[in-house]
Amino acid sequence: MRELSAKTIVSIASLGAVSYFVVSVDSSGDIRPALAQQSNLPPVTIVAPKPKARQSVKRSRTRTASPVRRQVAAPAPRQAAPVPFMVPSTGTVGTVPPVYAGGQVATGASLGMLGNRSVMDTPFNQTSYTSQLIENQQARTIRDVLDNDPSVRTIQAAGGGADGVFIRGFYYDSGDYGLNGLYGIAPYYSTRANFVERVEVLKGPSALLNGMTVGGTGATSGGAVGGTINLISKHATDLDITRITGTYVSQSQFGANVDLGRRYGEHKEWGVRLNSTYSNGNTPWNRQTDEFGNVVLGVDYRGERVRAAFDVGYQADNLRPPMRFFGLGATTAIPQPPKPGLNFQVPWAYYAPTDFFTTVQGEVDLTDWMTAYAVFGYHDSNINYLYPSPNIVNGAGDLIGRPGRGKETFETFAGTTGIRANVDTGPIHHLMNINYSVNDRSYNQNLGAAGLIAWNLYTEPTNIPAPANFNALALSQVTGVRLSSIGLSDTMSMLNDRVQFTVGARHQTAGSGVMVLTGPGTSRPEQSTSVWTPAYAIVVKPVERISLYANYIEGLQTPVVVPGIFANAGTVFPPTPTQQAEGGIKFDAGRITATLSYFDISQRSIITVGTLGNQTQELNGIQRNRGMELNVFGEITPAIRVLGGAALIDGVQERTQNGINDGKKAVGVPAITANIGAEWDTPFVRGLTVTGRVIYTGTQYANVTNTLTIPDWTRVDLGARYTFDSPWNGKPIIVRAMVQNVANQAYWASAYSGVITLAAPRTYLVSTTFNF
């Protein structure tokens, strides 16, 4: 499987898709009705035709938030129509909360061990972006979806094939992304958005809800201090889906997406969903090509008391050459960014990751008030690469870098099993949960390095030859992380759910070790530490449509193993807990919802110091981020939709070595970030929608001494889409166009851990979706 190229994968997927489409055609030659404009319809599942005892009043306690939904044309009747029923509050498999007014955000999301919760019943700040938003914004990877969130900023290089972000000013690695509730199972560096039904962003630590995350540098994690990102994969809807989308991205990258979905069985209990994409061509960067392909299959079963789902996927990318971040080293000035689209990377560099991933979920309703569940996942990631990471020497833009050729492999096993139960004790209703989770990852890194090369930021290095040889084995090490935990929680509701109090704790054990094959003396045996992480949260609804909430919750950083690129490689920093206190208010006006929150989070700091060739990672006090967030989504009118908000964050350093940097600003944490997006269905042209988005990020400090800064920046995106009926079958055809970074501005986008990154140049996106 690892040896398959992107072309081979997509060829196989395309042949399978065509065959699947053919057998789905009725014997008369008529194609079954397809979903018109969106696939994320209100969730349903299947039971026998006659209602049974499981449809009791108690089961209706599922909190699915606002009843407001956008209208979708009713499909033609089918011979074996599904029989809907409400999935119990103790179940999550086979259902997602319905979309909110406007279709861009859902009415709720999964909350780890607490199950699915509506926005107004969630004692945290959480947003769940829908597949409708993904399709309409032509999101290529998850980082494109996260551009809508004011509390999230992508911090890794555009055009570099990685999706690491800051959430509330804290690092969250792409290796920590969750897939169907299992963290570390999604593709390691970047995840394509074509197979994703929901992108759930939970802000703040979540050790109780999800356990520890594993990812980060090598096999260690920042602990998901600022928040977590969970991806829900697509499954078959009650309407057949046969959808083909042609895509174009500047400068000359063409591609196609295939989306097929069917349900089978007497009551449509069985579902099959296939998503595949392929693209190839020149990117908006000069001299860069990107060939990408994936195929993801989802199979699910929805029975009366049993629900199950199986997902398996493979993706491959071939990026030549990859854009990288810039190390600051000992420079005393940051140069002006080069002109947009200039390719500062050497032409012989490449980056070629592949990912195989799978999850298996299952639930059984043991009684009308108790559900047992389990979910298991496996992920195998392989990355081959050759590139130098440039380091800035001075304000004139002189660069130096050491080319490295390497291979990295990540193998991850994850699983969670537990029981949820509803119990009434007098006037108090309890939703209780106990679960056990494990996460096991091994990381193998082999790296060869060549001698230093030098060039300039403003001149494309097309005349620098590839190194003749690399040191045979500059680095070879195996790192392992073993995580396990058991969690318990109880959400107590009273006064018709107007008061909800959640209390819980998780006992976590984290261990890590490193075996350095090139220097056995620096190896470290596996060391483990156990700790309790408690959480308390409350929701109070004083009047209808208003929720007040507060929480105290902790996170836990896994033991940090310093990677091989540093002089102190193999050093293991012990795990430490982090804390958050948060409070806020939510207002649901029926078609528009707003959340205002305040948070205070503290995390141990690990910084990079020294010059190129002699850099080390060190513990250096605490980073404390305090701030306020405003999130808004929904419809102002049925024709005008809004999505966005703002975040004010004061990130400071505390307890630094000898107090030298106490009180100075944290690296890469802008004081102000804002996102404002809107859509307008024009009255003068039926089916025409115009869109716009403004993204603002304030000034950022690029080093711990606050002597280097990157300026604030503003990005404007504009777009439109036009929907009309096909002259062949009467199904909708949707043409979409979007321009990102309309002004084609050149700017430094982000700073973190001793590096800075460039923003992408103006980018054109065009697509056409055909429904059959």
Side-chain angles (χ1 to χ4, degrees):
M1 184 69 77
R2 298 177 184 173
E3 304 300 324
L4 289 178
S5 68
K7 287 183 178 179
T8 303
I9 298 165
V10 175
S11 297
I12 295 172
S14 300
L15 289 173
V18 171
S19 301
Y20 186 57
F21 172 70
V22 170
V23 300
S24 299
V25 178
D26 292 334
S27 58
S28 62
D30 295 332
I31 300 175
R32 298 179 180 178
L35 180 63
Q37 288 181 299
Q38 61 187 49
S39 61
N40 50 350
L41 293 178
V44 294
T45 185
I46 311 301
V47 294
K50 295 182 179 181
K52 296 192 177 183
R54 73 193 307 271
Q55 306 299 318
S56 64
V57 175
K58 182 180 296 186
R59 303 292 267 180
S60 67
R61 296 188 69 95
T62 302
R63 299 179 178 92
T64 55
S66 171
V68 179
R69 303 172 186 169
R70 294 186 62 77
Q71 298 298 315
V72 179
R78 300 176 58 184
Q79 290 183 346
V83 181
F85 75 97
M86 294 296 293
V87 173
S89 59
T90 52
T92 60
V93 176
T95 183
V96 291
V99 298
Y100 191 73
Q104 301 181 94
V105 173
T107 58
S110 60
L111 210 59
M113 68 184 298
L114 300 184
N116 288 343
R117 302 295 293 270
S118 75
V119 170
M120 301 300 285
D121 290 293
T122 298
F124 304 96
N125 190 332
Q126 186 176 35
T127 307
S128 179
Y129 300 99
T130 67
S131 59
Q132 182 177 335
L133 175 140
I134 292 173
E135 294 163 7
N136 286 336
Q137 293 188 356
Q138 303 179 77
R140 290 159 290 172
T141 69
I142 300 304
R143 69 183 285 162
D144 294 330
V145 181
L146 299 176
D147 281 344
N148 296 282
D149 201 301
S151 299
V152 181
R153 283 295 180 267
T154 303
I155 60 170
Q156 290 182 312
D163 293 346
V165 297
F166 268 7
I167 306 176
R168 286 184 170 175
F170 290 104
Y171 182 57
Y172 185 75
D173 191 78
S174 55
D176 282 336
Y177 282 24
L179 180 63
N180 297 321
L182 292 177
Y183 290 83
I185 298 300
Y188 191 90
Y189 281 109
S190 183
T191 303
R192 207 69 164 192
N194 65 303
F195 69 94
V196 176
E197 181 68 37
R198 299 285 165 82
V199 178
E200 300 176 335
V201 182
L202 174 65
K203 291 146 194 177
S206 58
L208 171 68
L209 308 176
N210 304 307
M212 291 170 288
T213 56
V214 56
T217 304
T220 59
S221 170
V225 174
T228 56
I229 297 168
N230 182 46
L231 313 177
I232 304 296
S233 56
K234 290 180 178 178
H235 286 112
T237 66
D238 289 322
L239 300 179
D240 290 351
I241 295 174
T242 305
R243 182 179 301 148
I244 299 175
T245 301
T247 64
Y248 166 82
V249 180
S250 58
Q251 298 177 13
S252 60
Q253 190 167 100
F254 295 89
N257 301 332
V258 175
D259 186 0
L260 300 173
R262 296 290 188 273
R263 299 209 70 85
Y264 301 99
E266 182 181 359
H267 301 293
K268 305 304 176 185
E269 300 93 335
W270 293 94
V272 180
R273 187 79 174 264
L274 175 70
N275 281 271
S276 181
T277 188
Y278 175 78
S279 61
N280 194 8
N282 297 321
T283 77
W285 301 90
N286 295 343
R287 301 184 295 104
Q288 186 188 58
T289 62
D290 188 14
E291 181 182 20
F292 179 91
N294 78 357
V295 57
V296 181
L297 176 68
V299 179
D300 69 277
Y301 172 78
R302 305 187 304 190
E304 183 181 356
R305 288 188 176 272
V306 176
R307 296 169 294 279
F310 168 74
D311 295 271
V312 60
Y314 181 81
Q315 74 172 36
D317 195 8
N318 187 1
L319 189 60
R320 294 175 178 263
M323 303 296 100
R324 297 289 293 168
F325 46 71
F326 293 83
L328 295 178
T331 184
T332 57
I334 294 178
Q336 292 295 315
K339 65 180 181 180
L342 183 144
N343 190 332
F344 55 83
Q345 187 60 278
V346 294
W348 35 265
Y350 64 84
Y351 172 73
T354 62
D355 291 271
F356 172 80
F357 51 95
T358 182
T359 64
V360 181
Q361 308 171 73
E363 288 181 343
V364 179
D365 297 333
L366 303 177
T367 68
D368 284 344
W369 50 272
M370 181 183 296
T371 298
Y373 63 90
V375 54
F376 300 98
Y378 173 75
H379 176 209
D380 181 32
S381 180
N382 295 267
I383 304 100
N384 292 282
Y385 58 88
L386 168 61
Y387 50 70
S389 293
N391 289 263
I392 297 174
V393 177
N394 51 43
D398 291 325
L399 307 174
I400 58 172
R402 188 183 301 277
R405 181 175 62 192
K407 177 180 178 61
E408 299 179 0
T409 61
F410 298 85
E411 188 173 40
T412 307
F413 298 88
T416 298
T417 184
I419 294 176
R420 296 190 187 96
N422 279 317
V423 178
D424 287 324
T425 57
I428 300 177
H429 176 75
H430 300 263
L431 178 57
M432 298 182 294
N433 193 319
I434 179 171
N435 74 4
Y436 175 76
S437 66
V438 294
N439 199 310
D440 187 309
R441 166 170 284 168
S442 61
Y443 166 53
N444 192 320
Q445 182 185 28
N446 293 277
L447 174 67
L452 286 173
I453 61 174
W455 70 104
N456 189 272
L457 175 62
Y458 308 109
T459 302
E460 297 195 357
T462 56
N463 59 346
I464 297 179
N469 56 68
F470 293 82
N471 294 337
L473 206 60
L475 173 68
S476 180
Q477 67 178 26
V478 179
T479 307
V481 172
R482 313 286 183 265
L483 311 176
S484 63
S485 67
I486 184 169
L488 305 99
S489 70
D490 184 8
T491 298
M492 294 163 279
S493 306
M494 62 193 75
L495 303 177
N496 196 26
D497 290 343
R498 287 188 176 273
V499 178
Q500 304 170 34
F501 180 63
T502 300
V503 59
R506 185 175 290 275
H507 185 263
Q508 305 185 88
T509 300
S512 66
V514 58
M515 180 173 60
V516 183
L517 302 179
T518 51
T522 60
S523 296
R524 298 289 185 275
E526 182 172 320
Q527 304 173 13
S528 62
T529 303
S530 298
V531 64
W532 282 95
T533 50
Y536 316 94
I538 189 170
V539 174
V540 178
K541 302 178 181 179
V543 296
E544 189 178 1
R545 299 190 181 279
I546 290 181
S547 291
L548 306 176
Y549 77 93
N551 67 69
Y552 171 83
I553 191 167
E554 295 186 357
L556 184 66
Q557 289 178 271
T558 56
V560 175
V561 181
V562 177
I565 60 175
F566 295 98
N568 62 334
T571 300
V572 180
F573 300 132
T576 56
T578 60
Q579 301 84 30
Q580 170 185 274
E582 179 183 1
I585 181 172
K586 302 179 182 182
F587 174 64
D588 182 357
R591 304 196 72 87
I592 191 166
T593 292
T595 300
L596 179 65
S597 60
Y598 171 82
F599 62 88
D600 187 335
I601 310 175
S602 297
Q603 179 199 31
R604 175 194 60 182
S605 294
I606 298 175
I607 64 172
T608 300
V609 297
T611 58
L612 180 65
N614 193 35
Q615 289 180 317
T616 61
Q617 284 196 326
E618 300 177 359
L619 294 175
N620 190 39
I622 292 175
Q623 179 178 332
R624 183 181 184 185
N625 290 2
R626 289 170 287 184
M628 297 186 68
E629 297 164 321
L630 173 66
N631 297 86
V632 180
F633 59 83
E635 296 178 337
I636 298 177
T637 71
I640 301 176
R641 295 168 289 281
V642 294
L643 175 63
L648 308 176
I649 304 179
D650 179 26
V652 297
Q653 304 174 63
E654 299 178 349
R655 305 180 193 175
T656 58
Q657 293 179 358
N658 301 319
I660 295 175
N661 296 318
D662 284 3
K664 292 183 179 179
K665 297 299 182 181
V667 173
V669 183
I672 302 175
T673 56
N675 299 55
I676 303 173
E679 295 186 344
W680 177 39
D681 298 334
T682 61
F684 45 83
V685 178
R686 182 180 179 182
L688 176 64
T689 300
V690 295
T691 66
R693 181 174 60 192
V694 178
I695 303 174
Y696 173 79
T697 300
T699 301
Q700 304 170 56
Y701 287 99
N703 60 350
V704 294
T705 58
N706 289 181
T707 58
L708 298 175
T709 61
I710 58 176
D712 63 339
W713 54 267
T714 303
R715 186 182 110 189
V716 177
D717 302 334
L718 297 176
R721 64 177 180 271
Y722 178 58
T723 304
F724 60 96
D725 292 337
S726 166
W728 304 288
N729 60 13
K731 302 292 192 300
I733 295 176
I734 308 172
V735 180
R736 304 178 179 93
M738 188 175 189
V739 183
Q740 296 178 344
N741 190 5
V742 172
N744 200 28
Q745 290 185 322
Y747 56 90
W748 298 109
S750 62
Y752 75 102
S753 190
V755 303
I756 58 176
T757 63
L758 272 175
R762 181 191 294 128
T763 303
Y764 300 94
L765 300 97
V766 180
S767 67
T768 303
T769 298
F770 300 90
N771 291 283
F772 298 94

